[in-house]
Amino acid sequence: MVHLLLDALLYVIVPLWLLAGFTDYVLHKRTHIEHTAGTRESLLHLLQLGEIGLPVLLGLLFEINSGILIVMLLAFIVHEATALYDVSYALPRRHVGVLEQHVHSLMEVLPFVALLFVTILNWDQCLALFGLGGELPRFELKLKTDPIPAGYLLTLLSSVLFFIIVPYTEELWRCMKVERHRLVKPNIAQAA
């Protein structure tokens, strides 16, 4: 059962999450985010990536213990709060269609499912947080004794780079370029 949950997490949940993230970028581009919600919303997207990226890296590289479970839970809560603010900021500024709303739902549910799977896989350390079970809570950073296969890590990190980091950086660049143009244009008109 443990291997089934781990395989579902690594080979189903994580790829779907990446696909949802890239799809969201494509939908932002299609709605011309650079001319509507702009730089501020794009920065919120990168913030969310950082909020969720750190606990994912911790989970991939280090033994999951009580400390990492706490970091993952707090990061999930902060990510959800940022996501709510992101949508509330975007809605009055640009069209957020049905498909994008559905993609957002996936990007909210999949991290929860991932956190749930990680918690189940490390149930003893979850119980230890509440003084239950037979283990004491651990909080040290210790590399995995049974590491995630290097090929998987390389593929995942490359996918995150090419399908998430590069596209969302391009989105920010586009937004900043349009914003800079808007700021320069009125200054030129005033100088005339």
Side-chain angles (χ1 to χ4, degrees):
M1 181 62 110
V2 168
H3 291 294
L4 182 61
L5 282 175
L6 186 58
D7 285 349
L9 177 62
L10 295 177
Y11 299 104
V12 178
I13 304 298
V14 170
L16 282 174
W17 195 359
L18 282 170
L19 179 62
F22 182 72
T23 302
D24 197 41
Y25 159 79
V26 169
L27 294 169
H28 297 161
K29 190 167 184 158
R30 192 172 81 179
T31 61
H32 305 284
I33 188 175
E34 67 273 15
H35 295 290
T36 55
T39 303
R40 189 167 177 183
E41 186 184 1
S42 186
L43 285 170
L44 287 168
H45 299 152
L46 290 171
L47 176 61
Q48 290 172 82
L49 173 62
E51 291 167 349
I52 217 68
L54 173 66
V56 168
L57 277 175
L58 288 173
L60 289 169
L61 300 176
F62 296 97
E63 291 291 333
I64 309 266
N65 58 32
S66 296
I68 290 179
L69 287 173
I70 289 171
V71 169
M72 288 178 166
L73 177 61
L74 292 175
F76 172 75
I77 292 168
V78 170
H79 178 267
E80 288 302 301
T82 306
L84 282 171
Y85 178 73
D86 176 18
V87 171
S88 70
Y89 180 79
L91 280 175
R93 291 167 178 81
R94 68 179 181 86
H95 175 70
V96 179
V98 174
L99 180 58
E100 186 174 351
Q101 291 175 37
H102 184 67
V103 168
H104 288 172
S105 295
L106 286 172
M107 292 192 316
E108 292 168 15
V109 169
L110 291 172
F112 175 77
V113 172
L115 178 60
L116 182 62
F117 278 31
V118 168
T119 301
I120 291 168
L121 288 166
N122 299 280
W123 191 245
D124 291 339
Q125 279 299 293
C126 178
L127 289 177
L129 280 169
F130 303 100
L132 303 171
E135 292 186 12
L136 291 173
R138 294 188 316 274
F139 299 95
E140 74 278 357
L141 277 180
K142 180 182 168 192
L143 289 173
K144 286 189 178 294
T145 53
D146 186 16
I148 305 288
Y152 178 88
L153 286 175
L154 182 61
T155 301
L156 176 61
L157 295 176
S158 298
S159 297
V160 168
L161 176 66
F162 292 114
F163 294 107
I164 303 297
I165 294 173
V166 168
Y168 280 96
T169 302
E170 184 274 336
E171 175 185 278
L172 178 62
W173 177 82
R174 247 183 314 116
C175 291
M176 291 173 67
K177 183 178 170 186
V178 167
E179 190 172 296
R180 240 187 342 266
H181 180 70
R182 282 186 196 144
L183 293 174
V184 170
K185 195 173 184 181
N187 289 338
I188 292 171
Q190 289 174 355

